[in-house]
Amino acid sequence: MGWRSLRLGLLIGLGWGLACTPPGGAVPSAPGSPTRPAAPPASPSPTVSPSPSPTPRPAPSPTLAGPPTLLPFTPPPGFDPAVYPPPTPAAPNVQLTYAAACPNLSGTEMSPPPTPEEVLPLLHALASADAQRRQQATDPAFWPLLQGIRLEEAPGPEQLMPPRPAKESPYGELLGNGCGEAVMARTWWVEVCPGPCANPQAARMEALKRHVYVIRRQGHWLIWALR
C-alpha cells in the first residue's frame, strides 16, 4: 500500500510539471529578472542602383581669328598719297602697342641710317602743338596714336644715340612679329636719352628713354613706331 501511494504521487507530479511547461519548451524567467527584448527582424539592405553616366557634350568648334581690319583711309588734303599710303594691318593676334598698324612697303627704301639732322626735325614735330606738323613727321601707321602721344620737349642732338637696325632693339621682336622682316629691314632704331647720352647716368635710365623707329619713303624719313 505504501509503495503504490509513492508511485502514484510521482506520476501525478510528473504530469503537473509537464502541464506547467509553456509551448516550445521555453522556461519562464524567475519573477523580478529583467526580460531581454527580442531583436527586431533585420531589414533588407537597400539596393543601390548605378547612377547614369553623364552624356558628354560636344566640343565647341574653334573660332578662327581673321586678320585685323583698318578703317578706310584717305590722306588729308595736301598730303602726297605716295608718301603717306594707307597702313597695313599687323599679323593676327599681335598687338603692336607702339604703333597702330604696320607701314605700307610701297615706296619704302633700303637706305643708310638717318643722320641726327634728319631725326631731330621729326622729334621736334612730335613736341609741337601743330597737328598737321605732327602728321607730316609720322607714317599713317602711327597717326591713330598721335592724339595720346606728344613729347614733353624737343631733344637736342646730344640726346640721340647712333641709329641701329630695328631688329636689335628691345622691342624689335614684337614689331617684327607683327609687321614682318621686310618692314624691319627698312627700319632704323634711335634711342633718345633723358639727358646727354655721354653722361653714363642718363644713358642707364632705360625707363626714361624714348625708342624711335623710322622708315624712309619717297625720300622722306617718317616715324612709324615710338615708345
Side-chain angles (χ1 to χ4, degrees), residues 144-214:
L145 304 183
L146 277 176
Q147 292 183 352
I149 294 181
R150 180 180 170 188
L151 297 185
E152 295 80 8
E153 58 182 14
E158 72 282 357
Q159 293 178 252
L160 302 185
M161 296 284 283
R164 284 173 280 177
K167 62 182 180 180
E168 298 179 8
S169 77
Y171 311 100
E173 184 177 359
L174 169 65
L175 297 175
N177 289 340
C179 297
E181 294 183 2
V183 169
M184 299 304 289
R186 292 164 170 78
T187 301
W188 290 93
W189 160 51
V190 180
E191 284 183 280
V192 183
C193 301
C197 295
N199 183 340
Q201 185 177 1
R204 287 194 299 266
M205 294 181 177
E206 297 296 332
L208 300 180
K209 283 183 179 180
R210 289 284 186 177
H211 297 263
V212 185
Y213 299 86
V214 297

Side-chain angles (χ1 to χ4, degrees), residues 12-22:
I12 294 172
L14 181 58
W16 178 258
L18 291 174
C20 293
T21 303

Side-chain angles (χ1 to χ4, degrees), residues 16-114:
W16 178 258
L18 291 174
C20 293
T21 303
V27 180
S29 59
S33 61
T35 303
R36 179 177 297 176
S43 59
S45 58
T47 303
V48 180
S49 58
S51 58
S53 58
T55 303
R57 296 183 177 180
S61 301
T63 302
L64 299 178
T69 58
L70 297 175
L71 297 176
F73 176 84
T74 303
F79 282 70
D80 185 354
V83 180
Y84 303 96
T88 58
N93 303 322
V94 176
Q95 184 176 0
L96 295 175
T97 305
Y98 309 118
C102 301
N104 196 319
L105 285 175
S106 174
T108 56
E109 307 167 17
M110 297 285 292
S111 65

